[in-house]
Amino acid sequence: MFIGVKKIKGSIFEVGKRLYSDNPNGGSPFNSEEFIIFFKNVKQEKKNIYKELRKKSGVYIFINNITNQLYIGSSINLTKRMVSYYYYTNSDKLSKFVIIRAMKKYGLENFSLGILEFCKQDPKICLELEQKWIDFYKPKYNVLTVAGNSAGFKHSVETINKLKKILSGENHPNFGNITSFETKRAISEGIKNFYLTNNHPSKGLKGVLSSQYGIGGELVFCYSKTGKELIFPSINAARQHFKVRWTKIKKNLDTQEWVTLQDEEWIIQSMPKQK
């Protein structure tokens, strides 16, 4: 009737559920009895969701009742996480998250919410449990198959710059949030433990040799009086090339004034020169 679940070291579930194996996905997400708590209509049961999840942490699942597609997530503060879903779904702001876009498209009234597990308020435990349920259900709305990790999912520099502009300031999902010392320490320890037993081709490489060199930065276009054109993936990349301070590049960006770099006059722009 059920398959075993390996106990996770150092944790343990305050409340747990069995993993049923009577369908191809490994479990039926549409039977409310399989969940610790189940909310049929996310829009109508907003107050109940806030009330029942107050001061709790754990793993949750969203069910699109029209397409039957799923999304699984976890949080050390489930109420706060649900607040963000309501806020971004009802706002006019663009979102990079597939589940938010789906909620905007189909409406919150067509989504159900199930709580798969409650657990201790520990980010590491939450992510371990989330990974277990992602592996179990294989939800289509989870673009990344590793909980809390973007490994194997790489945006172009242009896409990253667009997302940075869209999700900057008050539009950022974590705007106003303050990460606790305990959370920072847990994340740091998790990263250290991962690289003790895992390796990657860029380990130990720095500067231009690093795979992360310039990624996520603002494109910089440099044009000299002699007709040269240099394009850099970030301000940091430009300042390393010219061997100047970061502020030297930043302050002269888009001023349309000539600046001396390595004994040559340059104009520095964030957009390519119009031909």
Side-chain angles (χ1 to χ4, degrees), residues 175-192:
F175 179 77
N177 292 344
I178 299 176
T179 305
S180 68
F181 172 76
E182 290 76 14
T183 300
K184 290 180 180 178
R185 184 171 61 182
I187 293 172
S188 176
E189 290 178 354
I191 293 172
K192 289 178 182 178

Side-chain angles (χ1 to χ4, degrees), residues 1-205:
M1 290 298 292
F2 61 92
I3 59 178
V5 181
K6 185 178 181 181
K7 185 175 180 179
I8 299 173
K9 270 188 192 175
S11 74
I12 236 22
F13 322 147
E14 295 175 4
V15 182
K17 298 297 287 184
R18 292 184 296 176
L19 304 181
Y20 290 84
S21 56
D22 55 358
N23 79 28
N25 275 342
S28 171
F30 313 112
N31 181 358
S32 61
E33 294 181 358
E34 293 186 21
F35 305 112
I36 297 173
I37 305 177
F38 183 78
F39 306 93
K40 177 63 178 176
N41 187 316
V42 171
K43 184 175 183 179
Q44 289 182 355
E45 298 191 69
K46 181 177 180 180
K47 290 184 179 180
N48 288 334
I49 289 173
Y50 288 166
K51 178 182 177 181
E52 295 293 334
L53 303 184
R54 186 171 179 269
K55 295 184 178 181
K56 291 183 174 69
S57 61
V59 186
Y60 57 90
I61 181 170
F62 280 115
I63 304 164
N64 185 329
N65 294 314
I66 295 177
T67 66
N68 292 336
Q69 291 184 345
L70 311 174
Y71 176 82
I72 289 173
S74 67
S75 177
I76 60 172
N77 189 329
L78 287 170
T79 299
K80 191 172 184 179
R81 178 62 58 82
M82 295 306 139
V83 169
S84 68
Y85 283 117
Y86 285 110
Y87 173 76
Y88 286 106
T89 301
N90 293 321
S91 73
D92 295 328
K93 298 175 182 178
L94 298 176
S95 176
K96 65 178 181 179
F97 298 107
V98 175
I99 182 61
I100 296 294
R101 296 204 298 268
M103 288 175 168
K104 284 176 176 285
K105 179 179 179 180
Y106 295 99
L108 286 172
E109 64 275 10
N110 290 310
F111 278 83
S112 295
L113 170 66
I115 303 303
L116 294 166
E117 271 183 290
F118 289 129
C119 65
K120 296 178 181 179
Q121 292 186 328
D122 185 318
K124 186 177 180 181
I125 292 175
C126 281
L127 289 178
E128 288 174 340
L129 296 178
E130 179 184 343
Q131 186 64 60
K132 178 189 73 173
W133 290 105
I134 287 175
D135 294 341
F136 180 62
Y137 280 120
K138 298 178 176 57
K140 290 187 177 180
Y141 283 140
N142 289 72
V143 178
L144 308 178
T145 58
V146 179
N149 193 338
S150 59
F153 186 78
K154 185 176 179 182
H155 289 298
S156 66
V157 173
E158 291 78 11
T159 300
I160 291 172
N161 286 332
K162 288 180 181 178
L163 290 173
K164 285 180 68 177
K165 290 180 180 179
I166 293 170
L167 298 170
S168 62
E170 293 183 1
N171 295 330
H172 195 278
N174 290 322
F175 179 77
N177 292 344
I178 299 176
T179 305
S180 68
F181 172 76
E182 290 76 14
T183 300
K184 290 180 180 178
R185 184 171 61 182
I187 293 172
S188 176
E189 290 178 354
I191 293 172
K192 289 178 182 178
N193 291 333
F194 176 83
Y195 286 116
L196 285 175
T197 55
N198 293 272
N199 205 344
H200 61 88
S202 298
K203 188 174 182 178
L205 299 180

